[in-house]
Amino acid sequence: MNSAEGAQRRKAEEARDRILNVAERLFASRGFAGVSVRDITAEADVNLAAVNYYFGSKAGLLKAVFLRRATALNRERMAELQAVVDAHPSGALPLPAVLRALLGPPVRWQFDPDRGLGVFIQFLARCQMEEEPELRALFYEDVEHLRRFIPALKRALPEMPEDEICWGLHFALGAMHHTFTHLPRLGPISQGRCHIGNRDEVIERMVEFATGGFEAARARITASAR
Amino acid sequence: MNSAEGAQRRKAEEARDRILNVAERLFASRGFAGVSVRDITAEADVNLAAVNYYFGSKAGLLKAVFLRRATALNRERMAELQAVVDAHPSGALPLPAVLRALLGPPVRWQFDPDRGLGVFIQFLARCQMEEEPELRALFYEDVEHLRRFIPALKRALPEMPEDEICWGLHFALGAMHHTFTHLPRLGPISQGRCHIGNRDEVIERMVEFATGGFEAARARITASAR
DNA sequence: CGATGTATGAAACAAAGGTTTGAAAATATG
DNA sequence: CATATTTTCAAACCTTTGTTTCATACATCG
């Protein structure tokens, strides 16, 4: 089994990956309960039993779809955040740079040319609403990494209490997720009025909006403190 | 049939409303596909056939849940927006007031003491992701009313192109919806660090964040125009 | 009261759901 | 090549699903 994993292993991974890719896409657009195992196996062109064979159950497949990419996204965010911290060993961090580390990686994934990572981002937005208990547990663990942004934001906004920072973080993530869930059909509101532009334009637009939101809170706080 | 609609009609409406209330709550937390007609009829304490009797089908029930309150929410938003316009017949509109008309009503509903309206707001957040075609159609119609905010925002931010205003509107709505979907379990990120406070505090927080976001874009535009 | 239209009830239906099974096929190992 | 292991397949199983049916109870009205 050690030498030349061979065509067996390779072909298996092909089937496994086909299932994961299809499931990711279908879960993203219809939710967990809205997709049947038969939907998945039909589109992935594998036997009905394959899902249970590889992942134990439909819920196991959901977890696998999540785990396949979640850590990679976290790592990317964290690396970018660390780069900001390293570039400013002392003193205040530049707020836009911190927010870019938060919002940039998901947007870049969303705009991934071969759409593989982009689907995952929309899958993530769906996961936030799913009730499947095991997935919720994974999600909570995963969301832990976002808390590392709080100390960084504190260094960017020294005057602001943690309380306020959490709200801002919340709003910023909301603006981002909402954009992703509506990007495909952007937009019901704007009816084409809303020029999407390229990847980096979107990132900068989001960073700008979030920065402005934080700065407004900062202004209120410093004003009332004086 | 005209005089004294009587106990028959009254009792019928009781059953109908019980179904609507339970369905609203269950759809809000588990989504359309995640709830069975039996789940609903059991909790509403009515016969299984009642859903088809009153609403034709499960999908019909979904539509009914939506329609029951959607127009009322729109009216509230529109009335508040109109009040802002009336108070400033000419010249620039105050941006925070416009955003308060957008964000205030949903937040007030969310904090509705008897939770009836609050559930609907979370139901709405769910609806954005549902694929049920008839509901999508209703949703698009309904979302039309939000476009009336665009001219108002233009009057609040005369320098900004419509393009930019749509993005801001998008981000603001996202921050709001995200907050609602996470309010119950607020927060996985903040772990209790995030003080919710009362209704009006939340509104002001959101309005402040959104205002800041818009102002940041305005600042960029006026700077580059000069 | 008798007739009519409405609401509820229990049961049944067919379709679709997730999962299991056991044999066949394919691949790796010695 | 022979054996062991992994992967595929078709079929079946049992549960749950949305919907329908038809009989019964009920209130309303002539």
Side-chain angles (χ1 to χ4, degrees), chain A residues 1-75:
Chain A
M1 199 207 275
N2 56 355
S3 75
E5 37 254 43
Q8 174 191 349
R9 173 65 61 102
R10 178 144 20 94
K11 215 184 155 209
E13 286 188 346
E14 278 171 12
R16 230 186 91 102
D17 276 0
R18 268 204 312 277
I19 295 175
L20 284 170
N21 290 334
V22 170
E24 188 173 54
R25 177 162 46 82
L26 294 185
F27 286 155
S29 71
R30 296 189 226 157
F32 182 66
V35 180
S36 73
V37 176
R38 284 172 173 84
D39 291 337
I40 298 168
T41 55
E43 280 207 38
D45 202 35
V46 298
N47 187 269
L48 172 58
V51 163
N52 296 278
Y53 176 74
Y54 282 111
F55 306 100
S57 67
K58 188 189 175 189
L61 171 58
L62 180 67
K63 284 172 54 181
V65 170
F66 179 82
L67 287 172
R68 178 168 64 149
R69 305 200 203 270
T71 46
L73 178 62
N74 294 353
R75 245 196 299 275

Side-chain angles (χ1 to χ4, degrees), chain A residues 75-86:
Chain A
R75 245 196 299 275
E76 218 167 287
R77 261 183 178 149
M78 283 310 140
E80 209 162 312
L81 180 62
Q82 193 58 47
V84 176
V85 172
D86 290 347

